[in-house]
């Protein structure tokens, strides 16, 4: 299988063979929901290509937890699957994405059989822990005005483009605030000639 070359964390040949035998490669489009809040997780996804946005939602507010990208898995789904609990988050595809899924029942079995799987799981938990701590510090200690500008600058640098396709609502969801607050901040930055606003697009000047 061509995607097997993109799975580098399983170093044991037997583990790689078993992962490819048990796994099923699925393709998703932007906007597809992979996991819903309250769902019992019976499978675990590993992203081969693309990205999944993992977030929690309360009424009309969202809080971004993290993105799952190539060769990563969702630790919220991992925890829910391992302990047979309901998911506490949503997972939505943000771009055309290929995902290798396998039965959740294999997770504890692999924990006992394959050291590379143990390392992979621990690495994922540590990565998500660091991301959540950074998000918490930003929410707790950094003013929302600064968080908005920092987010736009980081996204612009990552995409190597000063023109960012992003609505006010999407930006609010990323930062865990409201569209009204984001719109007020963006208009103030536009007044200061830091950004230029377009419909569904923000340009850094």
């Amino acid at each position: 299988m061509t995607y097997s070359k993109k799975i580098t964390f399983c170093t044991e040949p037997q583990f790689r063979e078993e992962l490819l035998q048990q796994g099923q490669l699925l393709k998703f489009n932007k906007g597809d929901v992979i996991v819903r809040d309250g769902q019992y997780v019976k499978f675990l996804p590993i992203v081969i290509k693309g990205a999944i946005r993992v977030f929690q939602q309360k009424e009309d507010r969202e809080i971004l937890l993290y993105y799952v990208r190539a060769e990563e898995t969702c630790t919220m789904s991992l925890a829910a699957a391992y302990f047979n609990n309901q998911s506490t988050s949503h997972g939505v595809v943000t771009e055309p994405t290929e995902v290798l899924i396998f039965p959740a029942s294999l997770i504890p079995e692999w924990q006992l059989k394959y050291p590379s799987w143990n390392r992979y799981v621990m690495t994922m938990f540590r990565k998500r822990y660091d991301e959540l701590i950074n998000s918490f510090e930003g929410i707790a200690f950094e003013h929302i005005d600064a968080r908005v500008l920092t987010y736009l600058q980081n996204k612009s640098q990552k995409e190597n483009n000063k023109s960012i396709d992003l609505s006010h609502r999407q930006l609010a969801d990323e930062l865990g605030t409201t569209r009204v607050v984001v719109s007020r901040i963006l208009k103030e930055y536009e007044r200061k000639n830091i950004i230029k606003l377009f419909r569904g697009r923000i340009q850094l000047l």
Side-chain angles (χ1 to χ4, degrees):
M1 299 181 183
T2 57
Y3 64 84
S4 64
K5 296 180 180 179
K6 300 179 181 180
I7 304 174
T8 61
F9 63 84
C10 50
T11 56
E12 299 92 344
Q14 183 181 351
F15 180 27
R16 175 178 290 272
E17 182 179 351
E18 188 172 353
L19 182 65
L20 297 179
Q21 286 178 347
Q22 298 288 348
Q24 180 182 5
L25 186 67
L26 300 179
K27 296 184 179 181
F28 296 93
N29 297 317
K30 180 179 179 180
D32 287 347
V33 178
I34 293 184
V35 178
R36 297 181 185 275
D37 185 7
Q39 171 185 341
Y40 280 96
V41 182
K42 300 301 182 182
F43 65 90
L44 189 68
I46 296 177
V47 172
I48 302 301
K49 182 178 69 174
I52 302 171
R53 182 176 183 266
V54 181
F55 63 95
Q56 290 184 330
Q57 186 174 29
K58 300 296 180 183
E59 297 178 353
D60 62 339
R61 295 278 296 275
E62 291 183 7
I63 181 69
L64 172 68
L65 298 179
Y66 49 80
Y67 281 89
V68 184
R69 305 191 186 277
E71 210 171 358
E72 296 179 350
T73 190
C74 174
T75 52
M76 301 292 282
S77 296
L78 178 61
Y82 191 90
F83 295 104
N84 194 31
N85 292 335
Q86 292 173 293
S87 172
T88 58
S89 61
H90 299 276
V92 178
V93 173
T94 60
E95 59 187 80
T97 297
E98 294 181 5
V99 177
L100 181 67
I101 66 169
F102 56 86
S105 58
L106 292 172
I107 297 173
E109 180 182 329
W110 288 350
Q111 291 289 116
L112 299 175
K113 290 173 61 177
Y114 303 118
S116 65
W117 176 249
N118 271 322
R119 289 193 298 270
Y120 175 75
V121 169
M122 291 301 102
T123 298
M124 286 293 101
F125 273 117
R126 181 53 194 257
K127 178 180 176 64
R128 301 310 176 204
Y129 172 82
D130 290 342
E131 289 173 342
L132 292 175
I133 288 296
N134 289 335
S135 296
F136 172 79
E137 289 177 347
I139 293 172
F141 304 116
E142 190 175 5
H143 197 275
I144 185 62
D145 298 56
R147 291 175 58 213
V148 167
L149 187 57
T150 297
Y151 179 89
L152 293 175
Q153 290 171 336
N154 289 341
K155 189 171 181 63
S156 172
Q157 184 178 21
K158 181 179 179 180
E159 297 178 358
N160 194 29
N161 191 343
K162 290 187 176 294
S163 183
I164 304 167
D165 292 327
L166 193 70
S167 70
H168 293 196
R169 179 54 190 262
Q170 288 172 322
L171 180 55
D173 289 342
E174 292 291 286
L175 298 176
T177 186
T178 65
R179 185 189 62 78
V180 173
V181 170
V182 163
S183 295
R184 173 184 59 80
I185 294 170
L186 292 176
K187 288 177 182 177
E188 180 63 17
Y189 280 138
E190 186 176 44
R191 188 186 67 80
K192 294 178 179 180
N193 292 322
I194 296 174
I195 63 172
K196 181 68 175 176
L197 297 175
F198 301 90
R199 185 175 181 83
R201 183 164 60 88
I202 302 169
Q203 184 171 355
L204 287 169
L205 302 179

